[in-house]
Amino acid sequence: MTVGSVLGVVSLLIVATAANLPAFFAGWALAGLAMATTFYQPAFAALTAPWTGAAERR
């Protein structure tokens, strides 16, 4: 999640300073990756998996 947060900052800096449309789209694509890595529900499912087992994730 920390890496995703850093990616979020970098992506917003890219979007804010984009000089052309491809750079703007690349910044938003990176923002999408950052949002996917900081989504809480999958992160907590992965963190609690060793304690709850496979049955709890269904």
Side-chain angles (χ1 to χ4, degrees):
M1 292 179 100
T2 304
V3 173
S5 298
V6 171
L7 281 177
V9 170
V10 171
S11 68
L12 290 179
L13 287 173
I14 292 171
V15 168
T17 60
N20 53 30
L21 200 54
F24 183 75
F25 285 148
W28 274 112
L30 189 61
L33 179 64
M35 287 184 273
T37 59
T38 56
F39 190 50
Y40 284 133
Q41 191 172 11
F44 285 115
L47 288 173
T48 59
W51 295 283
T52 59
E56 197 65 35
R57 288 179 280 174
R58 277 188 259 150

Coordinates of all heavy atoms in Angstrom, one line a residue:
M1 N 0.8 -1.2 0.0 CA 0.0 0.0 0.0 C 0.9 1.3 0.0 O 0.5 2.3 -0.5 CB -0.9 0.0 1.2 CG -2.0 -1.1 1.1 SD -3.1 -1.1 2.6 CE -4.4 -0.2 1.9
T2 N 2.0 1.2 0.6 CA 2.9 2.3 0.6 C 3.4 2.6 -0.8 O 3.4 3.8 -1.2 CB 4.1 2.0 1.5 OG1 3.6 1.7 2.8 CG2 5.0 3.2 1.6
V3 N 3.7 1.6 -1.5 CA 4.2 1.8 -2.9 C 3.1 2.4 -3.7 O 3.3 3.3 -4.6 CB 4.7 0.5 -3.5 CG1 5.0 0.6 -5.0 CG2 5.9 0.0 -2.8
G4 N 1.8 1.9 -3.5 CA 0.7 2.5 -4.2 C 0.5 4.0 -3.9 O 0.1 4.7 -4.8
S5 N 0.7 4.3 -2.7 CA 0.6 5.7 -2.3 C 1.6 6.6 -3.0 O 1.3 7.7 -3.4 CB 0.7 5.9 -0.8 OG -0.4 5.2 -0.1
V6 N 2.8 6.1 -3.0 CA 3.9 6.9 -3.7 C 3.6 7.0 -5.2 O 3.7 8.0 -5.8 CB 5.2 6.2 -3.5 CG1 6.3 6.8 -4.3 CG2 5.6 6.3 -2.0
L7 N 3.1 5.9 -5.8 CA 2.7 5.9 -7.2 C 1.5 6.9 -7.4 O 1.5 7.6 -8.5 CB 2.2 4.5 -7.7 CG 3.2 3.5 -8.0 CD1 2.6 2.2 -8.4 CD2 4.1 4.0 -9.1
G8 N 0.6 7.0 -6.5 CA -0.4 8.0 -6.6 C 0.1 9.4 -6.6 O -0.4 10.3 -7.4
V9 N 1.1 9.7 -5.8 CA 1.7 11.1 -5.8 C 2.4 11.3 -7.1 O 2.2 12.4 -7.7 CB 2.6 11.2 -4.6 CG1 3.5 12.5 -4.7 CG2 1.9 11.2 -3.3
V10 N 3.1 10.4 -7.6 CA 3.9 10.5 -8.8 C 2.9 10.7 -10.0 O 3.1 11.6 -10.9 CB 4.8 9.4 -9.1 CG1 5.4 9.4 -10.5 CG2 5.9 9.3 -8.0
S11 N 1.8 9.9 -10.0 CA 0.9 10.0 -11.1 C 0.2 11.4 -11.1 O -0.1 11.9 -12.2 CB -0.2 8.9 -11.0 OG -1.0 9.0 -9.9
L12 N -0.2 11.9 -10.0 CA -0.8 13.2 -9.9 C 0.1 14.3 -10.3 O -0.3 15.3 -11.0 CB -1.5 13.5 -8.6 CG -2.7 12.6 -8.3 CD1 -3.2 12.9 -6.9 CD2 -3.8 12.8 -9.3
L13 N 1.4 14.2 -10.0 CA 2.4 15.1 -10.5 C 2.5 15.1 -12.0 O 2.6 16.1 -12.7 CB 3.7 14.9 -9.8 CG 3.8 15.3 -8.4 CD1 5.2 14.8 -7.8 CD2 3.6 16.8 -8.2
I14 N 2.4 13.9 -12.6 CA 2.5 13.7 -14.0 C 1.3 14.4 -14.7 O 1.4 15.1 -15.7 CB 2.7 12.3 -14.4 CG1 4.0 11.7 -14.0 CG2 2.4 12.1 -15.9 CD1 4.2 10.2 -14.2
V15 N 0.1 14.1 -14.1 CA -1.1 14.7 -14.7 C -1.1 16.2 -14.6 O -1.5 16.9 -15.5 CB -2.4 14.1 -13.9 CG1 -3.6 14.9 -14.3 CG2 -2.5 12.6 -14.3
A16 N -0.6 16.7 -13.5 CA -0.6 18.2 -13.2 C 0.3 18.9 -14.2 O 0.1 20.0 -14.5 CB -0.3 18.5 -11.8
T17 N 1.4 18.2 -14.5 CA 2.4 18.9 -15.3 C 2.5 18.4 -16.8 O 3.4 18.7 -17.5 CB 3.8 18.7 -14.7 OG1 4.1 17.3 -14.6 CG2 3.9 19.3 -13.3
A18 N 1.5 17.6 -17.2 CA 1.5 17.1 -18.5 C 1.5 18.2 -19.6 O 0.6 19.0 -19.6 CB 0.3 16.1 -18.7
A19 N 2.4 18.0 -20.5 CA 2.5 19.0 -21.6 C 1.7 18.6 -22.8 O 1.5 19.4 -23.7 CB 4.0 19.2 -21.9
N20 N 1.4 17.3 -22.9 CA 0.6 16.9 -24.1 C -0.3 15.8 -23.6 O -0.3 15.3 -22.5 CB 1.6 16.4 -25.2 CG 2.6 15.4 -24.6 OD1 2.3 14.6 -23.7 ND2 3.8 15.3 -25.2
L21 N -1.2 15.4 -24.5 CA -2.2 14.4 -24.2 C -1.7 13.0 -23.9 O -2.2 12.4 -22.9 CB -3.2 14.3 -25.4 CG -4.6 13.8 -25.1 CD1 -5.3 14.5 -23.9 CD2 -5.5 13.8 -26.3
P22 N -0.7 12.5 -24.6 CA -0.2 11.2 -24.2 C 0.4 11.1 -22.8 O 0.2 10.2 -22.0 CB 0.9 10.9 -25.2 CG 0.5 11.6 -26.4 CD -0.1 12.9 -25.9
A23 N 1.1 12.2 -22.3 CA 1.6 12.3 -21.0 C 0.4 12.3 -20.0 O 0.5 11.7 -18.9 CB 2.5 13.5 -20.8
F24 N -0.6 13.0 -20.3 CA -1.8 13.1 -19.5 C -2.4 11.8 -19.3 O -2.8 11.3 -18.2 CB -2.8 14.1 -20.1 CG -4.0 14.3 -19.3 CD1 -4.0 15.1 -18.1 CD2 -5.2 13.8 -19.6 CE1 -5.1 15.4 -17.4 CE2 -6.4 14.0 -18.9 CZ -6.3 14.8 -17.8
F25 N -2.6 11.0 -20.4 CA -3.2 9.7 -20.3 C -2.2 8.7 -19.6 O -2.7 7.9 -18.8 CB -3.4 9.1 -21.7 CG -4.7 9.7 -22.4 CD1 -4.7 9.9 -23.7 CD2 -5.7 10.2 -21.6 CE1 -5.8 10.5 -24.3 CE2 -6.9 10.7 -22.2 CZ -6.9 10.9 -23.6
A26 N -0.9 8.9 -19.7 CA 0.0 8.0 -19.0 C -0.1 8.3 -17.5 O 0.0 7.3 -16.7 CB 1.4 8.2 -19.5
G27 N -0.3 9.5 -17.1 CA -0.4 9.8 -15.7 C -1.7 9.2 -15.1 O -1.7 8.7 -14.0
W28 N -2.8 9.3 -15.9 CA -4.0 8.7 -15.4 C -4.0 7.1 -15.4 O -4.6 6.5 -14.5 CB -5.2 9.1 -16.2 CG -5.8 10.4 -15.7 CD1 -5.7 11.6 -16.3 CD2 -6.4 10.6 -14.4 NE1 -6.3 12.6 -15.5 CE2 -6.7 12.0 -14.3 CE3 -6.7 9.8 -13.4 CZ2 -7.3 12.6 -13.2 CZ3 -7.3 10.4 -12.3 CH2 -7.6 11.7 -12.2
A29 N -3.2 6.6 -16.3 CA -3.0 5.1 -16.3 C -2.3 4.7 -15.0 O -2.6 3.7 -14.3 CB -2.3 4.6 -17.5
L30 N -1.2 5.5 -14.7 CA -0.5 5.2 -13.5 C -1.3 5.5 -12.3 O -1.2 4.7 -11.3 CB 0.8 6.1 -13.5 CG 1.8 5.9 -12.4 CD1 2.3 4.4 -12.5 CD2 2.9 6.9 -12.5
A31 N -2.2 6.5 -12.3 CA -3.1 6.7 -11.2 C -4.1 5.5 -11.0 O -4.4 5.2 -9.9 CB -3.9 8.0 -11.5
G32 N -4.5 4.9 -12.1 CA -5.4 3.7 -12.0 C -4.6 2.6 -11.3 O -5.2 1.9 -10.5
L33 N -3.4 2.4 -11.6 CA -2.6 1.4 -11.0 C -2.4 1.7 -9.5 O -2.5 0.8 -8.7 CB -1.2 1.3 -11.7 CG -0.2 0.3 -11.1 CD1 -0.8 -1.2 -11.3 CD2 1.1 0.4 -11.8
A34 N -2.2 3.0 -9.2 CA -2.0 3.4 -7.8 C -3.3 3.1 -7.0 O -3.3 2.6 -5.9 CB -1.6 4.8 -7.7
M35 N -4.5 3.4 -7.6 CA -5.7 3.2 -7.0 C -6.0 1.7 -6.7 O -6.5 1.3 -5.7 CB -6.9 3.8 -7.8 CG -6.9 5.3 -7.7 SD -8.4 6.0 -8.6 CE -7.7 6.1 -10.2
A36 N -5.6 0.9 -7.7 CA -5.7 -0.6 -7.5 C -4.9 -1.1 -6.4 O -5.3 -2.1 -5.7 CB -5.4 -1.3 -8.9
T37 N -3.7 -0.6 -6.2 CA -2.8 -1.1 -5.2 C -3.2 -0.6 -3.8 O -2.7 -1.1 -2.8 CB -1.3 -0.7 -5.5 OG1 -1.2 0.7 -5.5 CG2 -0.9 -1.4 -6.8
T38 N -4.0 0.5 -3.7 CA -4.3 1.0 -2.4 C -5.8 0.7 -2.0 O -6.3 1.2 -1.0 CB -4.1 2.5 -2.3 OG1 -4.9 3.1 -3.4 CG2 -2.7 2.9 -2.5
F39 N -6.5 -0.2 -2.8 CA -7.8 -0.5 -2.5 C -7.8 -1.4 -1.2 O -7.2 -2.5 -1.2 CB -8.4 -1.3 -3.7 CG -9.9 -1.5 -3.6 CD1 -10.8 -0.4 -3.3 CD2 -10.5 -2.7 -3.8 CE1 -12.1 -0.6 -3.2 CE2 -11.8 -2.9 -3.8 CZ -12.7 -1.9 -3.4
Y40 N -8.6 -1.0 -0.2 CA -8.5 -1.7 1.1 C -9.0 -3.1 1.1 O -8.4 -3.9 1.8 CB -9.2 -0.8 2.1 CG -8.5 0.4 2.6 CD1 -9.2 1.6 2.7 CD2 -7.2 0.3 3.0 CE1 -8.5 2.7 3.1 CE2 -6.5 1.5 3.4 CZ -7.2 2.7 3.5 OH -6.6 3.8 3.9
Q41 N -10.1 -3.4 0.5 CA -10.7 -4.7 0.6 C -9.8 -5.8 0.2 O -9.6 -6.8 1.0 CB -12.0 -4.7 -0.1 CG -12.9 -6.0 0.2 CD -14.2 -5.8 -0.4 OE1 -14.5 -5.0 -1.2 NE2 -15.1 -6.7 -0.1
P42 N -9.2 -5.8 -1.0 CA -8.2 -6.9 -1.3 C -7.0 -6.9 -0.5 O -6.4 -7.9 -0.2 CB -7.8 -6.6 -2.8 CG -8.9 -5.7 -3.3 CD -9.4 -4.9 -2.1
A43 N -6.6 -5.7 0.0 CA -5.4 -5.7 0.8 C -5.6 -6.4 2.1 O -4.8 -7.2 2.6 CB -4.9 -4.2 1.0
F44 N -6.7 -6.1 2.8 CA -7.0 -6.7 4.1 C -7.3 -8.2 3.9 O -7.1 -9.0 4.8 CB -8.1 -6.0 4.8 CG -7.6 -4.7 5.4 CD1 -8.1 -3.5 5.0 CD2 -6.6 -4.7 6.4 CE1 -7.7 -2.3 5.5 CE2 -6.2 -3.5 6.9 CZ -6.7 -2.3 6.5
A45 N -7.9 -8.6 2.8 CA -8.1 -10.0 2.5 C -6.8 -10.7 2.4 O -6.6 -11.9 2.9 CB -8.9 -10.2 1.2
A46 N -5.8 -10.1 1.8 CA -4.5 -10.7 1.7 C -3.8 -10.7 3.0 O -3.0 -11.7 3.3 CB -3.6 -10.0 0.6
L47 N -3.9 -9.7 3.8 CA -3.3 -9.6 5.1 C -3.8 -10.6 6.1 O -3.1 -11.2 6.9 CB -3.4 -8.2 5.7 CG -2.5 -7.1 5.0 CD1 -2.9 -5.8 5.6 CD2 -1.1 -7.4 5.2
T48 N -5.1 -10.9 6.0 CA -5.8 -11.8 7.0 C -5.8 -13.2 6.6 O -6.2 -14.1 7.3 CB -7.2 -11.3 7.4 OG1 -7.9 -11.2 6.2 CG2 -7.1 -9.9 8.0
A49 N -5.4 -13.5 5.3 CA -5.5 -14.9 4.8 C -4.7 -15.9 5.7 O -5.2 -17.0 5.9 CB -5.0 -14.9 3.4
P50 N -3.5 -15.6 6.1 CA -2.8 -16.6 6.9 C -3.6 -17.0 8.2 O -3.4 -18.1 8.7 CB -1.5 -16.0 7.3 CG -1.3 -14.9 6.2 CD -2.7 -14.5 5.9
W51 N -4.4 -16.1 8.8 CA -5.1 -16.4 10.0 C -6.5 -17.0 9.9 O -6.9 -17.7 10.7 CB -5.1 -15.1 10.9 CG -3.8 -14.6 11.3 CD1 -3.0 -15.2 12.3 CD2 -3.0 -13.6 10.7 NE1 -1.8 -14.5 12.4 CE2 -1.8 -13.5 11.4 CE3 -3.3 -12.7 9.7 CZ2 -0.8 -12.6 11.1 CZ3 -2.3 -11.8 9.4 CH2 -1.1 -11.7 10.1
T52 N -7.1 -16.6 8.8 CA -8.5 -17.0 8.6 C -8.7 -18.2 7.7 O -9.7 -18.9 7.8 CB -9.4 -15.9 8.0 OG1 -8.8 -15.5 6.8 CG2 -9.4 -14.7 9.0
G53 N -7.7 -18.5 6.9 CA -7.8 -19.7 6.0 C -8.6 -19.4 4.7 O -9.1 -18.3 4.5
A54 N -8.6 -20.4 3.8 CA -9.3 -20.2 2.5 C -10.8 -20.1 2.6 O -11.4 -19.4 1.8 CB -8.9 -21.3 1.6
A55 N -11.4 -20.7 3.6 CA -12.8 -20.7 3.7 C -13.4 -19.3 4.0 O -14.5 -19.0 3.6 CB -13.3 -21.7 4.8
E56 N -12.6 -18.5 4.7 CA -13.1 -17.2 5.1 C -13.1 -16.2 3.9 O -13.8 -15.3 3.8 CB -12.2 -16.6 6.1 CG -12.7 -15.4 6.9 CD -13.9 -15.8 7.7 OE1 -14.0 -16.9 8.3 OE2 -14.8 -15.0 7.8
R57 N -12.3 -16.5 2.8 CA -12.2 -15.6 1.7 C -13.3 -15.8 0.7 O -13.5 -15.1 -0.2 CB -10.9 -15.8 1.0 CG -9.7 -15.1 1.8 CD -8.5 -15.3 1.1 NE -8.0 -16.7 1.4 CZ -7.0 -17.3 0.9 NH1 -6.3 -16.6 0.0 NH2 -6.6 -18.5 1.2
R58 N -14.1 -16.9 0.8 CA -15.1 -17.2 -0.2 C -16.3 -16.3 0.0 O -16.7 -15.7 0.9 CB -15.5 -18.6 -0.1 CG -14.6 -19.5 -0.9 CD -15.1 -20.9 -1.0 NE -14.3 -21.6 0.0 CZ -14.7 -22.7 0.7 NH1 -15.9 -23.1 0.5 NH2 -14.0 -23.3 1.5

